[in-house]
Amino acid sequence: MIKGAPVYWYDEIDSTSEEAKRRARKGEAGPVWIAARRQTAGRGRLGRQWSSPDGNLFTSVLFVPPGGLGLAGRVPFAAALAAVDACKAVLPSVGFKLKWPNDVRVDRAKLTGILVESGETNGVVWVALGIGINVLVAPELDGQETVSLNALGAPHGLSADDVLSSLREALENRLTQAQNAFPALLNDWKTNAEALGQEVEAGPVDARVTGIFEDLAEDGGLILRLPDGNRQTIRAGDVELVRQVE
């Protein structure tokens, strides 16, 4: 799917995901990686700004998902696990956790951000997958504690290039798993899940629902057990831990 895709490095760019989409709209289907030393207009999920200090990894991969949009919906979970795999390659003893659907956190501090966008050009469905990993610097984000691999004890001299090398292999493996064994991939995701079995608020900002994060649906939706005992599946928005369940 993305094996052997070339990497194009930029010293500075507005956004690696914007560059991937520009290429896609011109008919370039990929696979191709775009990486930058610095971004001037990085973005995260839900339109949030993504801070881009020097030394961190900012990258996007453009590719055509086999099966079209059916596989595209699985990409966030594959990408999140690939980011965990890449981080564990550096720090195998750290407890990396996944905040639904695809943030990687350590003790509730954000380490990575993932943005999945898709489109169609000349009848070809494409995915632009953006991944940011805090390698050297934990940037300031409004209302969100952050952490970096460096602060967690990464080896001296670790670079964004090193992390990208691990990420490329991990993502190829996880995308293949998403295509061929999605239930197993979701089980791997749950093994690393943050707040599973605990009370959370989830959903779009204007329609938050409180319940126990009970499971994932077959398509990766977040299943909540509501206070009245009913279940509701959340497929959009965000999730936040309410409190620890004793």
Side-chain angles (χ1 to χ4, degrees):
M1 197 179 307
I2 61 171
K3 187 174 184 179
V7 180
Y8 293 97
W9 277 97
Y10 291 78
D11 288 333
E12 183 175 288
I13 199 170
D14 54 351
S15 158
T16 59
S17 286
E18 288 303 313
E19 174 62 16
K21 290 189 294 181
R22 283 192 289 266
R23 290 173 178 243
R25 289 163 181 158
K26 291 178 181 178
E28 181 178 342
V32 61
W33 287 87
I34 309 296
R37 305 297 177 191
R38 187 181 303 108
Q39 293 186 128
T40 59
R43 292 182 300 110
R45 289 184 63 246
L46 307 178
R48 296 167 179 151
Q49 182 180 3
W50 182 256
S51 181
S52 305
D54 291 358
N56 289 350
L57 176 62
F58 319 111
T59 189
S60 297
V61 59
L62 171 66
F63 64 98
V64 174
L69 291 176
L71 180 64
R74 302 177 180 185
V75 169
F77 302 94
L81 282 167
V84 168
D85 294 341
C87 292
K88 282 185 175 180
V90 176
L91 293 165
S93 62
V94 171
F96 300 103
K97 292 294 183 181
L98 292 173
K99 174 176 171 281
W100 187 89
N102 53 22
D103 278 357
V104 180
R105 308 210 299 184
V106 178
D107 295 329
R108 301 182 68 185
K110 186 166 183 167
L111 177 66
T112 79
I114 293 172
L115 176 64
V116 183
E117 298 175 286
S118 60
E120 184 175 331
T121 302
N122 299 326
V124 177
V125 174
W126 50 263
V127 168
L129 166 61
I131 302 176
I133 299 179
N134 299 334
V135 179
L136 299 184
V137 181
E140 292 186 6
L141 294 178
D142 289 342
Q144 172 68 74
E145 185 180 355
T146 62
V147 70
S148 68
L149 292 175
N150 182 55
L152 292 169
H156 178 72
L158 180 72
S159 69
D161 304 63
D162 298 327
V163 178
L164 178 56
S165 179
S166 296
L167 179 64
R168 292 173 69 197
E169 180 179 359
L171 184 60
E172 169 63 26
N173 292 336
R174 290 299 187 176
L175 287 175
T176 299
Q177 185 183 23
Q179 180 182 5
N180 299 323
F182 191 53
L185 184 133
L186 289 182
N187 282 333
D188 289 347
W189 195 100
K190 287 189 289 185
T191 298
N192 294 279
E194 179 183 277
L196 185 63
Q198 298 179 349
E199 187 177 20
V200 299
E201 284 187 348
V205 174
D206 59 350
R208 304 285 272 183
V209 179
T210 299
I212 302 299
F213 178 9
E214 189 171 81
D215 203 351
L216 293 180
E218 291 183 357
D219 63 356
L222 185 150
I223 298 175
L224 289 181
R225 176 70 67 178
L226 304 179
D228 63 5
N230 290 320
R231 297 169 114 197
Q232 181 171 338
T233 301
I234 305 295
R235 292 188 170 88
D238 211 346
V239 61
E240 290 295 341
L241 183 68
V242 173
R243 61 179 175 82
Q244 297 288 335
V245 176
E246 301 296 336

